[in-house]
Amino acid sequence: MAATLHPRRVDAFGELAGELGLCFGGDYNPEQWPREIWREDAELMVRAGVNLVTVGVFSWARLEPSPGERDFGWLDEVLDLLHAHGIAVDLATPTASPPPWLGILHPETLPVNPDGVRLVAGSRNQFTPASRVYREHAVSIATAMAERYVDHPAVRMWHVGNEFGQIDFGDEAAREFRLWLRERYGTIEALNNAWGTLVWAQRYRDFDEVLPPRRMPYLVNPAQSLDFRRYTSWALQRVFTEQRDAIREAGATQPITTNFMGFEPLTDLWEWAADVDVIADDQYPDHGSATASSDIALVQDLMRSLGGGRPWALMEQAVSATSWRPHNLPKSADRARLDSLQAVARGADAICFFQWRQARTGAERFHSALLPHAGADTEVFASACALGADLQKLRPVVGGRVAASVGVLFDWPSWWAAEEPGRPTERLRTLEQVQRWHRALWRRGIAVDLVKPGADLSAYAAVLVPHSYIVETDAAAALRAAVQRGASLVVGPFSGVADAHAGILTGRSPVLLRDLVGVSGEEWVGLPDAPTRVAAESAWTTAPAVAEASVLGERLRADGAEVLARFEDGHLAGAPAITRHRVGEGTAWYLGAVLSDAALAAVLDDALDAAGVTGVVPDRVLPEDVEGIRRGDALFLLNHGEGTRHVTVPGPHRDLLSDADVDGQATLAPGAAMVLIERHAE
Ligand code: GAL
């Protein structure tokens, strides 16, 4: 399904960033404002150092006020004006929100929720990716735009739709889902077998009897749900690729992208990644959460990994408060700067915001913007200008790569299947586990790539599998090969449980990995609310003082692995909880439970030591709340904490942001950042 990426496209964003330096800007919605304001916008953009704006995202009603009646005059003027001011444009197809007339003329273009309620115009995103009529209208307006602007000198990038993540359970979706299933299974017998439809008398006689998982009396068949998720991601991707291809057919040579939403559950980004010319993402971390900084670092590592390490674009973020949370905390200017620099540190070559000018009307009137309601004479606008100046100083990092020696396995179908209801515990959440494991490495200044199961792991000294419910043969083989050649592997609980159809693999678990981990299990159980003690055996020389387990445990038996720790009490008392198995040149750890932070960190440290993985600082010890990551020749140090922090940095360096020399020790005030280059490397 994923098209081959044309090599020329791979470099297109790199060429743009090479020319502009770090891209800086955001969504610009001139159609929402009288034209008298446009010139002021352009002038203030220049003042702020803005060099890239995304135009047109929600402008369909203005571009096509009635079916087939097109009005591009205003956009001509806007593009000319921006170009005259030296501002590049990421031109968006306006297809994320059709005008009301489309749903009125063609109600089947509107999405239907699981209860059968048809959603209507008046907000945004009211389309079903299944609808041929919607897709034809979308391609038609995308084609018209592309034909008109493909050679416009302002247009340096194309942006299809916005934040794909729509789901529909209606008749249009049922039709397309059935076609998708026919393609996948060929015969209804194959589908019945894969889905195990003899359970609860679900057997289908024909594809025409199959429905999307609409509201049902009780739990849905997990295989049906898993396939509907796969179908939904595919259907959305088709909406993207149809418009992308229309733009290419019109002769576009600029990079074409769309803005992802991190770990968004409706889009399998490993499937999507090869279809975009540059990975772009929208990030709205909730700084009310104590783990926001590491959680967003994980998202940024995902974005870099999706692009195979190539620089990506932070397409949207908030400069201060959002308006869509129940309670919206502002960002300080330092926080907004730190968030932006963090993205650059982790591989972004574009730092953009939603949005340029704060909306006066509409649902997002209180969402912050680079240019607030109060105008340019504001602290927010001043901080936007300061950020623009900072980003200009970072030209030397443009195009730089982050080299990661640790790979963390993650994929969408496994996440989807793992979280279907009717499992040992709903407290085990895939993303939460990935975040916990990643956070342990983030704290140690160790760069991590996210890896798709089955991918080649030869670049990694250590491979982590926090929670991969589905492990297929190719993924198991890649893990085995990695350990054989010397990598450390750590596998978390409830991994390798199911096949690609969410059917449980029978036999002692994890069926495809048990030889590799040297341990096997026979039951998965929810653990009591009070943590279960885990007692270290003598073989675990680096055990923490207290090790505990919670959430989920497995009844394991060592089949060749050393037992490092056992459950001390409860249902699993005496059974192995943590094991280690040497295979070939490497070592595989298996965790039979969700471990407390200290126990998990101790295992990960052992695995990193065995693999010789070092961080950006000696001993992998960074002060609390300090993030450290190397991108190309630059060492980024970011202080997310409330106190001043000192980091040992051997050798003479210069901070690109302050232009100050840093010798031996970097001192970071709260919220401060440094981008250090070795002085002899300049
Ligand atoms: C994004 C969206 C933007 C805007 C923003 C507000 O999800 O793409 O259009 O709504 O959120 O935070």
Side-chain angles (χ1 to χ4, degrees):
M1 286 163 205
T4 316
L5 194 59
H6 192 290
R8 179 169 50 88
R9 313 286 167 196
V10 171
D11 296 334
F13 176 65
E15 285 162 20
L16 181 62
E19 183 189 322
L20 301 182
L22 288 175
C23 303
F24 171 51
D27 281 47
Y28 178 41
N29 297 307
E31 72 279 9
Q32 299 174 11
W33 294 93
R35 54 194 293 278
E36 299 77 64
I37 283 191
W38 300 345
R39 180 162 299 278
E40 180 190 71
D41 280 327
E43 284 164 4
L44 290 174
M45 284 176 194
V46 171
R47 205 201 297 175
V50 163
N51 57 13
L52 180 74
V53 290
T54 301
V55 176
V57 176
F58 290 109
S59 65
W60 197 341
R62 181 86 188 254
L63 288 174
E64 192 172 5
S66 295
E69 179 201 330
R70 303 269 163 74
D71 174 10
F72 285 112
W74 65 273
L75 187 52
D76 293 348
E77 209 177 314
V78 166
L79 295 182
D80 292 347
L81 180 72
L82 290 168
H83 185 59
H85 286 78
I87 297 159
V89 171
D90 167 33
L91 188 58
T93 67
T95 51
S97 260
W101 55 253
L102 187 68
I104 292 165
L105 292 174
H106 305 284
E108 76 277 17
T109 61
L110 297 167
V112 175
N113 77 8
D115 292 306
V117 175
R118 195 173 286 284
L119 308 182
V120 296
S123 176
R124 67 178 185 190
N125 304 130
Q126 73 288 355
F127 69 87
T128 164
S131 162
R132 274 193 213 113
V133 172
Y134 161 74
R135 285 163 34 223
E136 279 164 17
H137 278 80
V139 165
S140 168
I141 187 85
T143 304
M145 273 180 108
E147 285 173 349
R148 190 172 186 98
Y149 298 117
V150 75
D151 294 322
H152 195 290
V155 178
R156 304 301 304 273
M157 201 188 313
W158 291 90
H159 182 294
V160 174
N162 192 59
E163 294 193 334
F164 283 95
Q166 293 70 38
I167 190 162
D168 169 44
F169 295 83
D171 292 342
E172 293 285 293
R175 185 195 66 229
E176 293 297 297
F177 182 39
R178 290 169 188 152
L179 290 172
W180 184 89
L181 290 169
R182 272 182 204 277
E183 178 88 2
R184 182 169 174 82
Y185 292 105
T187 65
I188 196 67
E189 286 72 29
L191 178 143
N192 279 312
N193 285 335
W195 286 14
T197 53
L198 288 175
V199 173
W200 291 354
Q202 291 166 356
R203 189 175 171 280
Y204 299 102
R205 295 169 302 165
D206 190 275
F207 283 100
D208 291 343
E209 295 180 348
V210 182
L211 287 167
R214 295 174 179 163
R215 191 69 63 218
M216 302 173 190
Y218 189 44
L219 305 182
V220 64
N221 181 330
Q224 178 182 357
S225 186
L226 177 59
D227 272 345
F228 189 66
R229 284 175 173 279
R230 286 190 174 110
Y231 151 76
T232 296
S233 177
W234 170 84
L236 288 166
Q237 195 173 340
R238 180 176 57 174
V239 173
F240 168 78
T241 52
E242 285 173 348
Q243 292 174 53
R244 179 204 61 185
D245 293 349
I247 296 169
R248 278 200 182 146
E249 271 161 36
T253 56
Q254 303 93 335
I256 307 175
T257 192
T258 188
N259 42 347
F260 295 154
M261 291 180 279
F263 289 89
E264 207 284 324
L266 291 175
T267 45
D268 176 348
L269 296 186
W270 289 124
E271 289 292 324
W272 281 66
D275 274 353
V276 297
D277 297 334
V278 50
I279 301 290
D281 196 48
D282 295 353
Q283 301 177 353
Y284 293 94
D286 178 2
H287 285 292
S289 150
T291 57
S293 298
S294 63
D295 294 346
I296 202 69
L298 169 64
V299 174
Q300 295 169 348
D301 290 344
L302 171 68
M303 293 305 141
R304 193 185 62 249
S305 306
L306 288 168
R310 286 190 301 280
W312 52 280
L314 175 51
M315 197 56 101
E316 287 184 26
Q317 58 173 334
V319 68
S320 182
T322 57
S323 61
W324 42 263
R325 293 192 166 99
H327 184 65
N328 296 283
L329 297 175
K331 274 187 194 175
S332 65
D334 280 352
R335 182 76 260 171
R337 176 178 186 259
L338 211 51
D339 282 2
S340 299
L341 295 174
Q342 183 184 27
V344 177
R346 305 190 94 86
D349 271 357
I351 299 299
C352 299
F353 291 79
F354 179 85
Q355 58 179 331
W356 162 252
R357 184 183 277 275
Q358 189 168 25
R360 200 181 65 76
T361 55
E364 296 188 314
R365 63 211 180 284
F366 290 113
H367 195 287
S368 60
L370 296 171
L371 183 60
H373 293 144
D377 182 16
T378 52
E379 290 183 16
V380 168
F381 185 70
S383 68
C385 296
L387 178 61
D390 275 336
L391 295 177
Q392 279 167 16
K393 296 177 194 156
L394 298 185
R395 189 175 257 282
V397 307
V398 170
R401 300 294 181 103
V402 172
S405 56
V406 179
V408 173
L409 226 60
F410 174 83
D411 87 313
W412 272 261
S414 188
W415 177 22
W416 294 331
E419 300 203 355
E420 282 300 322
R423 55 198 154 114
T425 173
E426 292 193 356
R427 296 180 189 175
L428 182 63
R429 310 294 306 268
T430 301
L431 188 52
E432 207 173 287
Q433 293 308 314
V434 175
Q435 287 168 335
R436 289 183 68 226
W437 291 45
H438 177 272
R439 193 172 308 128
L441 281 85
W442 179 83
R443 289 206 173 108
R444 286 161 174 70
I446 295 171
V448 166
D449 281 345
L450 278 289
V451 186
K452 181 183 178 172
D456 174 30
L457 299 171
S458 49
Y460 304 109
V463 179
L464 310 183
V465 184
H467 175 34
S468 287
Y469 181 75
I470 293 176
V471 173
E472 297 186 64
T473 330
D474 58 340
L479 294 174
R480 175 177 307 281
V483 180
Q484 284 283 359
R485 61 138 180 91
S488 288
L489 168 70
V490 188
V491 181
F494 214 39
S495 290
V497 173
D499 65 21
H501 305 293
I504 303 302
L505 295 165
T506 55
R508 294 188 66 85
S509 66
V511 174
L512 298 178
L513 297 176
R514 65 183 177 225
D515 292 348
L516 179 58
V517 294
V519 62
S520 69
E522 65 179 74
E523 64 170 345
W524 301 282
V525 297
L527 293 177
D529 288 349
T532 302
R533 299 267 302 197
V534 168
E537 302 276 286
S538 56
W540 193 13
T541 50
T542 57
V546 180
E548 291 174 335
S550 62
V551 179
L552 175 132
E554 303 185 18
R555 180 172 297 284
L556 298 177
R557 178 181 79 199
D559 297 331
E562 280 172 281
V563 177
L564 297 180
R566 294 181 187 274
F567 294 100
E568 204 169 291
D569 43 37
H571 182 74
L572 300 172
I578 306 173
T579 61
R580 178 173 61 197
H581 193 217
R582 294 188 204 286
V583 176
E585 303 295 308
T587 308
W589 281 256
Y590 192 78
L591 311 186
V594 174
L595 297 180
S596 51
D597 286 347
L600 175 63
V603 172
L604 294 178
D605 270 331
D606 288 348
L608 297 169
D609 284 342
V613 174
T614 54
V616 290
V617 286
D619 302 331
R620 305 193 294 254
V621 182
L622 276 165
E624 202 186 338
D625 298 321
V626 173
E627 174 170 346
I629 187 162
R630 197 170 279 288
R631 179 176 178 193
D633 293 333
L635 171 62
F636 283 74
L637 295 172
L638 312 167
N639 182 2
H640 296 282
E642 311 268 301
T644 299
R645 302 280 190 265
H646 306 283
V647 182
T648 305
V649 190
H653 287 80
R654 190 171 61 89
D655 174 17
L656 291 180
L657 292 169
S658 65
D659 207 25
D661 287 346
V662 174
D663 291 309
Q665 192 180 62
T667 298
L668 294 133
M674 287 186 180
V675 183
L676 301 177
I677 301 277
E678 275 186 54
R679 281 217 292 278
H680 61 76
E682 285 177 54

